[in-house]
Amino acid sequence: MGPALLARLRLFGGIFLFLVLAWAPQVWAVACSDLVIQPDLVFGNESSTFTQNMTIQNNSPVNFNIMDVNGTEFSDYFSFSKGSFSTSIPGNGSINVPLAFSFGSVTQNQTDFLYVQVDGNFSDSNLHCGFQQVNKAIQVTVKETSSLCSQLDFDLENVSLNENTSIEETFTLSNPTGFDFNVSEIEVLESASELSVSLTEFDSDLEAEDEIDFTVELNALNANQTVSVPVFVHALGTFENGTTCGLSAAQDSFNVTVNNTVSSALCPGMEVQIHTLEVPQNGSALDALTVLNKGSVNFYVDEIQIQDANLSLDIHELDWDSFIPFGEAGTINVSMEGFSAPIFDGNASFTLQGHFTNNASCQIVKKIPFTLKAFAGFEGSTCSDIVVKTDAFKILGSEKELEVFVNNPLNEQGTLNIESTNAYAVPSTIPINPLSTFKQSVHVEPLNESQTSAEVEIKAQIGACPLQSSASKLFFSGTINHPLEFIEVPSAVDAANVQSFRVALRNKTSQGVSAKVSVVFSDSTWSAASLNAPFNAFETRILEIAFFPGTGGSTTAQVQVEANGEVKTKTLQFLSPALPPVDIQSSVQPSSAADHYDIVVVVTNNTNQSVDGTLVIPLPPPWTVQGNTNVHVKAHGIELRALTLMPGAPVVSEVPLAVQFVPKKGIPSTSIVALKPIASGPLTAFVFVGNTAFWGLIVLLLLALVWVSLEVGKKPEPQEAWAQGLVSPPSEKKV
């Protein structure tokens, strides 16, 4: 072949290839994120059925073939079932999946979630999208439409009793409806340290147009002054027609007056010096209170009693000076022990009983503030043990006080600066002494009177340690005009055991009000549902708020209640879930033969009992898994499995693969690994829109023709010719 002909052939081949590729269909990359599930919200009336179409939208130009659609709900308020649907979603198209809902009866609007997952493959592609990649949490709200529960009526009366006494009171619950009511529980709530209440007995059968009695025990504790404590009563149960009444459906309240019967004035000249007791978390400590005798008569201490009503710590008297001459001071030693619990503040009751030389007896009753705190200790402490903390969110009333907490376990001097661009603090600088822990209030004022919020940051520089800081968002609207008040809020929520928590709120006004309740987490990986709740005049409601644990460990959050333009908050501690009962870790890599994948799975049992289960890897056919997938793991043991994954098609891009351990009892554990393409020589796979097989073959043939045209006339070297199969190997003789 002459040089001119060879040149023309090369030119023709190049032009022809350019024209074919110019007219060839466009190459598209597809992703699981191209699949979108709607709707976000579903609403339905209680005790009804309703069908809602769930739409699966395919935003890629490639068809998607559905293998499975799964739905899961953990709700007491609704159930659902799937209807028939198309298993192929065209490119840039969608399909509808009918969801038939059945709603139960509720006493107020209730919200839960339906979790939907889709599994399938894109056509003309090896991309598999599983439950882990295509899913949606659809919020389902069941609307309350009946008022049967609200007809239940309490007959309550206000009660008065002296401190440190107990009485029982009998009240009445009436049922004026035409249906019998089964009382599952009568709950009584109070939120004051001066009173504790408990239900002693009640009759569970409340017939139509009848009434029952129930008895409440009231225990009055020490009161520094006469106080009035509201007690809230709730009836829970079910009417014979199936209507269920929850906490906020049938409710009422009464007031209990706890009378202060002993005044410290009866001990003239005696003074107890009270300070905040610091209780170490997961530790014990001693402290002392001072009693001054400023009178002219000697004093004898007959009895000291220090009590706290919190299970997270123990505070009690240890010993004391029984004789305090006039003009001198005595000491009361206090023992303190803190357990594993979130950091919080509270009060313990203090009672001193004694008499003077002239036999005049008296009693002193006080409250002792305490704080349960984490303290790193001094020995072996490093910069990482320094604690600088303030409220992440706080509403400042007329006092405009922000509390800051510093723990310096090092033998180094430091400085705490309070900084803000839109507020000023007094003091703005606080010295930090070596080996010290303190809590101090800082007065914060906005730069102008019309300002409603400000951002403040406290920064501690201790020795050569890195700067430690904590930020706070402050609101100056105050809470004095807020129509709602917190009645009961948990101090901590254990995410290992629950996925929701309750907040009790009371409308303290004579007007109805609508409130928005939301939760703001310090860790953005946590989230929670927001609620809109109406309150009637003087109504108390208990709201249940669902939350979703994050990945950053334990955190704090602000429960924010917004009503009438005012915001009120409470701080909660959220404890991250403990180690899962069974955990798995997986790794995958192509085999040395480049024809399959090797998967190694490690199953760890964190429980005190052996666990049996199966390893499951969801795969589209004809993909297969070879190896022993049955697993038995001893208590606190580890089991390893090596499996072989035989691909049913080439992998052209990195694909996430879910490896699950499914125990015979309990919740499955999942590990996600990346399935990468296996190198397979000079040819690669293409995904085309349209008739991909035909055009792919044309392009590959043209590439081969052009390559041949470029190589024609070239005489290969002997080794190259052997590798290309043009000549016999050098060691052989051709017959």
Side-chain angles (χ1 to χ4, degrees):
M1 183 179 292
L5 179 60
L6 179 60
R8 284 195 295 271
L9 181 58
R10 287 175 173 173
L11 177 63
F12 170 77
I15 294 173
F16 184 69
L17 176 61
F18 172 78
L19 291 174
V20 170
L21 292 178
W23 286 94
Q26 186 177 2
V27 179
W28 290 89
V30 294
C32 297
S33 58
D34 291 330
L35 301 172
V36 179
I37 301 174
Q38 293 291 339
D40 297 317
L41 306 172
V42 171
F43 294 91
N45 293 330
E46 65 171 338
S47 305
S48 68
T49 57
F50 172 72
T51 298
Q52 168 80 47
N53 278 333
M54 178 184 73
T55 301
I56 306 176
Q57 175 72 38
N58 179 6
N59 291 325
S60 82
V62 182
N63 294 349
F64 183 79
N65 300 316
I66 296 177
M67 298 176 60
D68 191 14
V69 174
N70 181 50
T72 306
E73 48 81 16
F74 302 97
S75 176
D76 297 327
Y77 312 120
F78 74 90
S79 60
F80 86 102
S81 61
K82 294 180 306 206
S84 59
F85 56 92
S86 172
T87 58
S88 178
I89 311 177
N92 295 314
S94 64
I95 65 164
N96 289 327
V97 180
L99 301 179
F101 289 90
S102 177
F103 301 107
S105 60
V106 295
T107 57
Q108 63 183 34
N109 293 351
Q110 297 287 357
T111 297
D112 261 330
F113 290 89
L114 169 63
Y115 300 93
V116 180
Q117 301 169 306
V118 177
D119 182 87
N121 297 284
F122 281 99
S123 300
D124 302 320
S125 167
N126 291 313
L127 179 58
H128 170 245
C129 297
F131 289 159
Q132 297 291 329
Q133 290 80 43
V134 187
N135 51 67
K136 177 85 168 187
I138 300 175
Q139 181 174 309
V140 181
T141 298
V142 184
K143 297 181 179 179
E144 186 268 337
T145 58
S146 110
S147 58
L148 193 63
C149 298
S150 61
Q151 297 183 47
L152 296 173
D153 183 49
F154 286 100
D155 184 10
L156 307 174
E157 293 183 355
N158 295 333
V159 179
S160 177
L161 73 164
N162 293 334
E163 62 180 349
N164 299 310
T165 61
S166 300
I167 61 172
E168 289 187 349
E169 290 289 332
T170 300
F171 304 109
T172 301
L173 174 63
S174 302
N175 176 16
T177 73
F179 300 96
D180 292 346
F181 181 71
N182 178 260
V183 184
S184 61
E185 185 179 356
I186 294 179
E187 186 165 300
V188 289
L189 300 171
E190 50 77 28
S191 60
S193 60
E194 292 85 2
L195 181 70
S196 67
V197 298
S198 60
L199 184 72
T200 58
E201 61 180 10
F202 67 91
D203 188 353
S204 61
D205 297 321
L206 179 52
E207 298 179 353
E209 300 179 354
D210 202 356
E211 62 183 31
I212 60 170
D213 292 335
F214 62 95
T215 303
V216 177
E217 182 179 2
L218 306 170
N219 295 294
L221 306 176
N222 292 328
N224 290 335
Q225 59 184 2
T226 299
V227 295
S228 180
V229 179
V231 177
F232 302 93
V233 187
H234 308 263
L236 292 80
T238 305
F239 282 97
E240 63 178 338
N241 69 345
T243 300
T244 301
C245 301
L247 279 170
S248 59
Q251 59 183 339
D252 204 345
S253 65
F254 64 97
N255 289 324
V256 177
T257 301
V258 180
N259 300 306
N260 171 249
T261 57
V262 180
S263 172
S264 60
L266 297 178
C267 293
M270 300 302 301
E271 177 183 335
V272 180
Q273 294 184 332
I274 298 294
H275 63 268
T276 300
L277 302 177
E278 295 183 340
V279 186
Q281 191 181 45
N282 292 315
S284 59
L286 299 176
D287 206 338
L289 304 176
T290 300
V291 182
L292 300 178
N293 185 353
K294 297 181 178 181
S296 56
V297 183
N298 296 335
F299 185 79
Y300 296 85
V301 180
D302 300 321
E303 184 178 0
I304 299 290
Q305 190 175 59
I306 300 176
Q307 294 178 316
D308 69 271
N310 197 294
L311 298 177
S312 299
L313 49 82
D314 177 57
I315 303 176
H316 63 271
E317 69 281 358
L318 191 62
D319 54 38
W320 59 86
D321 294 329
S322 59
F323 176 63
I324 307 175
F326 63 90
E328 295 186 18
T331 299
I332 302 171
N333 292 314
V334 181
S335 174
M336 305 173 295
E337 184 177 6
F339 308 116
S340 177
I343 298 170
F344 71 103
D345 299 331
N347 291 292
S349 64
F350 170 90
T351 303
L352 179 151
Q353 292 181 339
H355 65 278
F356 292 99
T357 305
N358 58 9
N359 288 327
S361 299
C362 67
Q363 184 183 56
I364 300 175
V365 178
K366 285 184 174 291
K367 285 184 178 179
I368 306 176
F370 65 79
T371 178
L372 180 67
K373 66 182 186 67
F375 191 71
F378 303 136
E379 190 171 322
S381 296
T382 64
C383 294
S384 62
D385 296 322
I386 296 172
V387 178
V388 178
K389 189 178 66 171
T390 189
D391 295 319
F393 303 88
K394 187 171 185 180
I395 298 176
L396 302 183
S398 58
E399 78 284 355
K400 295 185 176 66
E401 296 287 319
L402 174 67
E403 239 179 14
V404 298
F405 174 81
V406 176
N407 171 33
N408 176 19
L410 306 179
N411 194 19
E412 299 280 350
Q413 184 72 30
T415 303
L416 183 71
N417 294 312
I418 297 92
E419 301 177 359
S420 175
T421 59
N422 49 8
Y424 65 93
V426 180
S428 59
T429 302
I430 302 173
I432 303 174
N433 294 325
L435 306 176
S436 65
T437 299
F438 66 88
K439 181 186 291 185
Q440 182 168 335
S441 294
V442 177
H443 184 78
V444 181
E445 286 282 354
L447 292 182
N448 59 74
E449 294 182 356
S450 62
Q451 199 173 315
T452 61
S453 65
E455 293 77 35
V456 172
E457 187 172 17
I458 63 171
K459 300 179 179 180
Q461 183 65 64
I462 300 176
C465 291
L467 190 70
Q468 306 282 335
S469 64
S470 178
S472 179
K473 174 76 172 181
L474 305 178
F475 299 90
F476 297 103
S477 58
T479 59
I480 188 169
N481 296 319
H482 200 290
L484 302 178
E485 61 181 350
F486 286 100
I487 298 301
E488 186 174 1
V489 179
S491 60
V493 179
D494 187 353
N497 300 316
V498 297
Q499 290 185 318
S500 64
F501 65 96
R502 289 179 174 181
V503 175
L505 295 167
R506 175 178 180 267
N507 180 8
K508 58 185 180 182
T509 71
S510 59
Q511 303 293 325
V513 66
S514 179
K516 179 182 179 180
V517 181
S518 56
V519 183
V520 180
F521 287 92
S522 301
D523 183 347
S524 60
T525 63
W526 292 64
S527 62
S530 297
L531 301 177
N532 291 312
F535 286 77
N536 297 323
F538 302 112
E539 180 186 15
T540 297
R541 293 188 61 176
I542 296 181
L543 306 178
E544 186 157 351
I545 303 174
F547 67 91
F548 308 95
T551 58
S554 300
T555 186
T556 58
Q558 290 280 331
V559 178
Q560 298 183 349
V561 181
E562 183 178 355
N564 292 352
E566 300 285 348
V567 179
K568 178 173 284 190
T569 66
K570 280 283 187 180
T571 301
L572 278 73
Q573 178 84 3
F574 284 80
L575 305 179
S576 64
L579 286 174
V582 178
D583 187 29
I584 69 170
Q585 299 292 328
S586 306
S587 64
V588 60
Q589 62 181 1
S591 68
S592 58
D595 60 351
H596 67 271
Y597 292 91
D598 294 321
I599 299 180
V600 176
V601 184
V602 179
V603 183
T604 304
N605 181 9
N606 297 313
T607 70
N608 294 321
Q609 297 180 341
S610 62
V611 175
D612 292 282
T614 305
L615 293 175
V616 176
I617 304 178
L619 292 169
W623 292 62
T624 58
V625 175
Q626 299 176 358
N628 181 14
T629 57
N630 296 320
V631 179
H632 172 80
V633 193
K634 297 180 180 179
H636 297 288
I638 296 176
E639 191 71 19
L640 183 144
R641 285 288 183 274
L643 305 175
T644 300
L645 174 62
M646 302 300 298
V651 177
V652 297
S653 62
E654 185 172 303
V655 179
L657 183 70
V659 181
Q660 282 190 324
F661 174 74
V662 182
K664 292 183 178 180
K665 295 182 180 179
I667 300 174
S669 303
T670 303
S671 173
I672 305 296
V673 295
L675 207 60
K676 298 181 179 180
I678 297 178
S680 57
L683 299 182
T684 56
F686 294 87
V687 179
F688 289 92
V689 177
N691 193 342
T692 59
F694 172 77
W695 283 107
L697 181 60
I698 290 292
V699 172
L700 293 176
L701 287 174
L702 287 170
L703 287 172
L705 286 173
V706 173
W707 177 80
V708 170
S709 71
L710 295 175
E711 296 297 318
V712 170
K714 177 183 176 183
K715 185 178 181 180
E717 295 294 328
Q719 292 301 322
E720 289 183 348
W722 166 73
Q724 297 169 14
L726 301 178
V727 297
S728 299
S731 60
E732 295 182 8
K733 292 184 179 181
K734 197 169 184 67
V735 177

